[in-house]
Amino acid sequence: MNSKVFTFFLLSIFCTAFACRNKEEKPTVSKTSKPIYSYEEKLKSEVTEIRRFLGKSPKYNSDVAFFLDMKVKSGRNRFFVYDLKNNKLLDKGLVGHGSGSETGIYGELKFSNVKNSNCSSLGKYAIGGSYTGRFGKAYKLYGLDKSNSNAFDRNIVLHKYEDIPFDEQPYPICNSLGCPMVNEKFFNVLEKQIDTSKKKIILVMYY
């Protein structure tokens, strides 16, 4: 073999080996991202917790309950109608939160039990009787925890609103003054559950 060719051959091997080694010593750094939030596990946990509560409070409906997962962005279904008796999800829909709960960061909320805060309040609610108000038929809510004990005095109610869409959206929906506010069509689903229940239904809002 010609000496020049042999030298070139050795140089090629050396460069190839160095390139491979250099590639191995500098692994690509993947950008870490937050895991996509899944409501299923949290809902399962909340269902277990509410079953314990209902076991000690027989005055409430133990067959069905409403769960509002405020960790889910407002454009996605986060109001869940759950069949506790048969352990299955019956329905789900969009629900607006209080304008005072906005933090300026999409998907991150704050909560308050203070009057005129316009915030949503976390905790368990007993759904009371209906009345006709500004948005038509609505249901009074009674806060059962320290975190939402002022709900009745703050006029926090479950009501419908024409500007709440029925289908999921890629962007935020409109806010309320602290009330859980749903689409008119979805309200009809909730209305049937509430009006046919012999006992008060529990609504749980969590984050």
Side-chain angles (χ1 to χ4, degrees), residues 10-74:
L10 289 177
L11 186 60
S12 298
I13 294 176
F14 174 78
C15 290
T16 302
F18 179 80
C20 291
R21 182 183 175 188
N22 194 42
K23 185 177 182 180
E24 290 173 354
E25 290 176 349
K26 294 181 180 179
T28 55
V29 179
S30 59
K31 295 182 179 179
T32 57
S33 58
K34 292 182 180 180
I36 298 175
Y37 178 73
S38 177
Y39 72 84
E40 287 92 346
E41 284 302 314
K42 183 61 176 174
L43 176 60
K44 184 178 178 181
S45 174
E46 292 294 331
V47 166
T48 299
E49 187 62 32
I50 207 63
R51 280 199 176 107
R52 291 197 194 100
F53 170 77
L54 293 172
K56 300 175 183 177
S57 306
K59 63 180 179 179
Y60 300 114
N61 188 324
S62 60
D63 291 337
V64 66
F66 300 161
F67 296 89
L68 281 64
D69 189 343
M70 308 313 281
K71 195 74 175 178
V72 178
K73 294 178 180 180
S74 69

Side-chain angles (χ1 to χ4, degrees), residues 32-179:
T32 57
S33 58
K34 292 182 180 180
I36 298 175
Y37 178 73
S38 177
Y39 72 84
E40 287 92 346
E41 284 302 314
K42 183 61 176 174
L43 176 60
K44 184 178 178 181
S45 174
E46 292 294 331
V47 166
T48 299
E49 187 62 32
I50 207 63
R51 280 199 176 107
R52 291 197 194 100
F53 170 77
L54 293 172
K56 300 175 183 177
S57 306
K59 63 180 179 179
Y60 300 114
N61 188 324
S62 60
D63 291 337
V64 66
F66 300 161
F67 296 89
L68 281 64
D69 189 343
M70 308 313 281
K71 195 74 175 178
V72 178
K73 294 178 180 180
S74 69
R76 302 298 177 184
N77 290 329
R78 56 179 181 173
F79 191 127
F80 307 109
V81 180
Y82 201 87
D83 183 341
L84 298 170
K85 186 176 181 180
N86 298 299
N87 197 34
K88 65 178 181 179
L89 185 64
L90 295 178
D91 215 329
K92 54 187 177 181
L94 302 179
V95 57
H97 56 257
S99 59
S101 287
E102 293 290 346
T103 63
I105 302 174
Y106 181 45
E108 292 188 18
L109 303 177
K110 61 181 180 180
F111 304 90
S112 175
N113 192 31
V114 177
K115 193 173 183 179
N116 297 323
S117 66
N118 293 339
C119 285
S120 294
S121 299
L122 303 180
K124 298 184 295 295
Y125 297 82
I127 302 176
S130 64
Y131 70 98
T132 302
R134 176 184 174 188
F135 302 104
K137 187 176 182 179
Y139 293 92
K140 299 176 182 178
L141 295 177
Y142 299 87
L144 303 179
D145 297 313
K146 289 183 179 180
S147 56
N148 63 358
S149 58
N150 294 325
F152 185 80
D153 292 336
R154 292 178 60 206
N155 295 317
I156 300 301
V157 300
L158 172 61
H159 69 85
K160 57 190 173 182
Y161 186 50
E162 60 184 3
D163 287 341
I164 297 288
F166 180 74
D167 297 316
E168 289 187 303
Q169 311 288 317
Y171 43 82
I173 61 174
C174 57
N175 298 325
S176 68
L177 296 180
C179 301

Side-chain angles (χ1 to χ4, degrees), residues 137 139 187-197 201:
K137 187 176 182 179
Y139 293 92
F187 184 86
N188 293 337
V189 173
L190 305 179
E191 181 182 24
K192 290 178 182 178
Q193 289 285 350
I194 298 170
D195 289 351
T196 57
S197 177
I201 291 177

